[in-house]
């Protein structure tokens, strides 16, 4: 196995270009956030002043500057997660491996961290995020690698992968005022493979979603159907994963 | 900062703040308490005349420190060097830094040497100072060279046993139990077996360096076979170097999998 073209086993020099935030909630006891990040960063060989400067910058980036002198044991779960991220980015790595990076964070913390991850990616860093919470992954990227029991089951853009799953027609839910009227118009369409009528809308199953979405506005306009919502319940990572592994 | 120095400083900071150090610190204070009670007993005049401050010191250093405390402290510190990081799942943070695994191993070992020395040696010196208060003035300064020799033996013991237990910590899954079994079966029982078998223990070579007379070493002294101090130092240095090299090699080449 190689990372950045180099073997990973017993190749410590590679770690200058790699940052890693592990999943486990593990720390050296009794240390403050600053002492912990500084201690780990000192292993990269920076002079003490440079180590401290980088540690402070990383803590600031993770919004932990005010809590830098507090013991990690007194941090909330979200703060502990962020201090782990701080040690991962403090040496400005080229590639970041983040294992469940949003675990334990509150909604604000999640939003902040997702924004940061996107910023790091935009700045040219490669970021590999491992997560079981698939909608979180979707909020960061559309480029995914789905792994089930150690085997890769899909790779690429989530929407493209969804297109390729032919066994499961796409589900499209149209919320409208008169579902029966709309259903009666759609039932004869060749691209419609199935249909389910609800009180507040119609769920259509189609194997040609692009064609369906192309023709749908004409019917809506012609019949003056008042559509309030249009959803694709299975055009997401979780649904793709479920289809692929079940 | 030099990577070895950085690992050493980080590991020492972790060791100093650990609960293990607190427990070992309390344990190291026990002989000091023994010295205080023993000295008070002697000074009260109840004790027999043959019992002197120096004989009390000799007894405590040999039987309390070399035969018990040295083993306990080095066992609990040495086996924890790698296994604590694995149990606490903090080893990941060290292994993803640009530092070779052998440097991590040696840096942690150096931190252990400092922590164990700071706990054992001052405590032994304190026992000496307290016990010698029972002897006539001037006696204590006459015995200072023996104290220094005792501290040297303890220091060598910390170095050698630490290297041994660190290897056990790097290899075994439950290193404390393996270390305990080794200590009480091999290092203790074998010492009582007459012949050359005892020469395969670290304790044999440490005993050869002790400046105290056999009569002051307790029952173990009568079972010891003679080894010259020079041979003892050479064997212990070589054994330590070999054990450190073995431990570093194991730590470098073994893939540690964290329990979920």
């Amino acid at each position: 196995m190689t990372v950045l073209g180099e073997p990973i086993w017993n190749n410590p020099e590679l770690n200058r270009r790699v940052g890693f935030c592990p999943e486990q909630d593990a720390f050296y006891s009794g240390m403050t956030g600053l002492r912990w990040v500084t201690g780990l960063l000192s292993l990269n060989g920076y002079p003490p002043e440079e180590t401290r400067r980088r540690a402070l910058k990383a803590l600031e980036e993770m919004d932990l500057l005010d809590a830098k002198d507090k013991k990690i044991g007194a941090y909330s779960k979200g703060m502990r997660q962020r201090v782990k991220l701080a040690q991962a980015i403090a040496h400005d790595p080229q590639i970041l491996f983040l294992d469940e990076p949003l675990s334990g964070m509150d909604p604000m913390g999640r939003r902040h961290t997702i924004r940061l991850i996107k910023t790091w990616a935009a700045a040219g860093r490669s970021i590999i995020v491992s997560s079981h919470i698939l909608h979180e992954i979707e909020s960061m990227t559309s480029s995914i690698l789905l792994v089930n029991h150690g085997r890769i089951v899909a790779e690429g853009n989530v929407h493209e992968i969804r297109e390729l799953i032919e066994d499961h027609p796409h589900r499209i839910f149209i919320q409208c005022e008169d579902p029966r009227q709309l259903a009666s118009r759609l039932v004869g369409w060749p691209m419609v493979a199935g249909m389910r009528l609800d009180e507040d809308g119609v769920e259509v199953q189609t194997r040609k979603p692009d064609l369906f979405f192309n023709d749908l506005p004409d019917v809506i306009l012609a019949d003056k159907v008042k559509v309030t919502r249009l959803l694709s319940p299975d055009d997401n990572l979780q649904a793709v994963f479920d289809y692929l592994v079940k | 900062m030099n990577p070895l120095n950085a690992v050493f400083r980080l590991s020492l900071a972790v060791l100093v703040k650990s609960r293990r150090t607190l427990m070992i610190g309390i344990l190291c204070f026990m002989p000091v308490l023994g010295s205080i009670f023993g000295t008070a007993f002697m000074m009260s005049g109840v004790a027999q005349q043959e019992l002197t401050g120096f004989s009390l010191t000799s007894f405590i250093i040999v039987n309390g420190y070399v035969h018990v405390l040295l083993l306990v402290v080095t066992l609990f510190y040495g086996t924890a060097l790698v296994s604590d990081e694995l149990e606490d799942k903090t080893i990941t943070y060290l292994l993803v830094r640009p530092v070779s695994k052998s440097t991590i191993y040696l840096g942690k070992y150096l931190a252990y040497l400092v922590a164990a020395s700071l706990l054992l040696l001052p405590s032994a010196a304190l026992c000496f100072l307290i016990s010698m208060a029972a002897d006539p003035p001037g006696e204590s300064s006459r015995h200072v060279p023996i104290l220094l020799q005792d501290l040297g033996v303890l220091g060598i013991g910390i170095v050698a046993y630490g290297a041994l237990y660190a290897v056990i910590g790097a290899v075994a899954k439950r290193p404390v139990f393996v270390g305990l079994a080794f200590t009480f079966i091999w290092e203790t029982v074998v010492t009582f077996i007459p012949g050359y078998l005892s020469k395969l223990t670290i304790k044999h070579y440490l005993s050869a360096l002790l400046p105290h007379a056999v009569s002051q070493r307790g029952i173990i002294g009568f079972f010891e076979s003679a080894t010259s101090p020079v041979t003892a130092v050479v064997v212990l240095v070589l054994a330590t170097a070999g054990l450190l090299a073995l431990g570093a090699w194991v730590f470098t080449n073994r893939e540690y999998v964290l329990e979920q």
Side-chain angles (χ1 to χ4, degrees):
Chain A
M1 187 181 281
T2 61
V3 170
L4 297 169
E6 291 188 37
I8 56 168
W9 182 245
N10 281 340
N11 183 9
E13 276 308 304
L14 173 66
N15 294 337
R16 289 193 192 283
R17 298 194 281 157
V18 173
F20 180 58
C21 174
E23 179 188 8
Q24 59 263 25
D25 191 33
F27 301 92
Y28 294 127
S29 61
M31 283 196 180
T32 66
L34 178 61
R35 178 71 189 86
W36 188 68
V37 177
T38 309
L40 292 176
L41 196 53
S42 67
L43 303 181
N44 281 56
Y46 298 118
E49 317 80 57
E50 177 69 2
T51 304
R52 188 178 160 81
R53 187 190 68 75
R54 282 177 176 268
L56 287 172
K57 186 171 169 258
L59 287 168
E60 186 181 17
E61 198 164 352
M62 293 317 303
D63 206 14
L64 281 172
L65 211 49
D66 291 341
K68 71 180 193 304
D69 296 321
K70 265 171 77 172
K71 289 196 171 161
I72 295 177
Y75 280 9
S76 67
K77 180 83 178 13
M79 289 165 86
R80 291 203 298 274
Q81 198 63 28
R82 281 186 279 148
V83 82
K84 282 196 302 187
L85 284 165
Q87 65 79 32
I89 60 162
H91 55 294
D92 200 16
Q94 197 177 333
I95 185 164
L96 263 173
F97 291 89
L98 312 178
D99 195 357
E100 306 284 356
L102 306 178
S103 165
M105 285 189 184
D106 58 31
M108 290 292 284
R110 280 167 194 256
R111 200 159 47 180
H112 177 71
T113 308
I114 289 170
R115 203 172 60 228
L116 273 176
I117 291 172
K118 284 179 170 175
T119 311
W120 296 333
R125 274 184 184 142
S126 299
I127 302 172
I128 295 168
V129 179
S130 157
S131 177
H132 288 87
I133 316 296
L134 300 185
H135 67 86
E136 284 180 356
I137 296 283
E138 265 189 304
S139 59
M140 294 177 210
T141 180
S142 57
S143 174
I144 53 112
L145 186 81
L146 282 173
V147 179
N148 185 41
H149 293 296
R151 294 177 71 105
I152 296 172
V153 290
E155 184 180 0
N157 182 290
V158 63
H159 304 295
E160 287 169 9
I161 295 169
R162 177 66 189 93
E163 296 286 317
L164 294 172
I165 304 172
E166 291 186 347
D167 292 348
H168 295 270
H170 287 251
R171 286 154 53 207
I172 299 162
F173 184 74
I174 309 156
Q175 193 178 53
C176 57
E177 281 186 348
D178 192 351
R180 284 185 181 280
Q181 184 200 349
L182 182 62
S184 67
R185 286 297 307 272
L186 298 178
V187 76
W189 286 16
M191 71 284 257
V192 172
M195 197 181 287
R196 189 170 61 83
L197 206 56
D198 267 4
E199 275 186 18
D200 59 345
V202 187
E203 188 183 278
V204 175
Q205 291 174 12
T206 174
R207 293 190 196 284
K208 294 176 178 168
D210 292 341
L211 212 56
F212 180 83
F213 281 122
N214 193 46
D215 292 354
L216 183 64
D218 293 340
V219 177
I220 291 170
L221 288 172
D223 292 7
K224 294 190 171 57
V225 180
K226 195 171 178 188
V227 174
T228 51
R229 215 167 165 207
L230 203 58
L231 291 172
S232 292
D234 62 354
D235 191 14
N236 59 59
L237 195 49
Q238 185 65 56
V240 167
F241 185 76
D242 290 343
Y243 288 156
L244 288 170
V245 301
K246 284 177 185 170
Chain B
M1 192 188 288
N2 173 292
L4 184 64
N5 187 13
V7 176
F8 163 73
R9 290 168 79 126
L10 179 65
S11 304
L12 189 60
V14 173
L15 270 183
V16 166
K17 287 179 180 168
S18 69
R19 276 196 201 137
R20 189 181 303 269
T21 296
L22 181 69
M23 297 305 293
I24 290 174
I26 292 169
L27 207 62
C28 288
F29 190 67
M30 294 300 164
V32 178
L33 279 182
S35 300
I36 292 170
F37 287 126
T39 307
F41 182 64
M42 282 187 289
M43 291 176 95
S44 68
V46 182
Q48 290 177 340
Q49 263 193 329
E50 300 88 64
L51 190 62
T52 62
F54 180 66
S55 62
L56 178 66
T57 305
S58 300
F59 180 80
I60 290 175
I61 298 276
V62 175
N63 295 296
Y65 280 88
V66 177
H67 290 316
V68 180
L69 213 48
L70 174 66
L71 291 167
V72 173
V73 172
T74 54
L75 167 70
F76 283 100
Y77 262 149
T79 52
L81 285 184
V82 174
S83 67
D84 263 13
E85 295 267 4
L86 289 170
E87 261 176 49
D88 297 342
K89 296 173 181 167
T90 47
I91 199 156
T92 313
Y93 298 114
L94 299 179
L95 298 183
V96 297
R97 296 286 159 189
V99 182
S100 70
K101 288 181 187 170
S102 53
T103 304
I104 293 171
Y105 187 83
L106 290 177
K108 292 183 77 62
Y109 174 76
L110 290 177
Y112 143 80
L113 286 187
V114 172
S117 302
L118 284 177
L119 288 172
L120 269 176
L121 303 186
S123 143
L126 201 56
C127 284
F128 172 85
L129 292 174
I130 292 166
S131 304
M132 292 312 287
D135 285 357
E139 278 291 293
S140 55
S141 54
R142 200 165 66 82
H143 290 122
V144 164
I146 293 179
L147 166 72
L148 295 177
Q149 232 173 309
D150 282 337
L151 295 182
V153 172
L154 281 176
I156 293 172
I158 290 169
V159 170
Y161 277 122
L164 171 70
Y165 291 129
V167 172
I168 293 175
V171 173
K173 203 167 183 187
R174 298 276 177 269
V176 173
F177 295 114
V178 176
L180 275 173
F182 179 84
T183 302
F184 289 104
I185 294 170
W186 190 255
E187 284 288 305
T188 306
V189 175
V190 166
T191 317
F192 289 97
I193 299 172
Y196 286 96
L197 203 57
S198 66
K199 291 197 173 186
L200 295 175
T201 66
I202 290 175
K203 194 185 277 181
H204 170 81
Y205 297 98
L206 284 181
S207 297
L209 295 173
L210 281 171
H212 304 275
V214 169
S215 59
Q216 291 169 323
R217 298 185 187 186
I219 194 166
I220 293 171
F222 294 103
F223 292 91
E224 290 167 358
S225 54
T227 296
S228 76
V230 176
T231 308
V233 170
V234 170
V235 169
L236 288 171
V237 167
L238 289 177
T240 302
L243 288 166
L244 280 178
L246 176 65
W249 184 84
V250 170
F251 186 64
T252 302
N253 292 291
R254 188 172 171 196
E255 189 173 3
Y256 293 97
V257 179
L258 299 181
E259 284 179 16
Q260 293 298 312

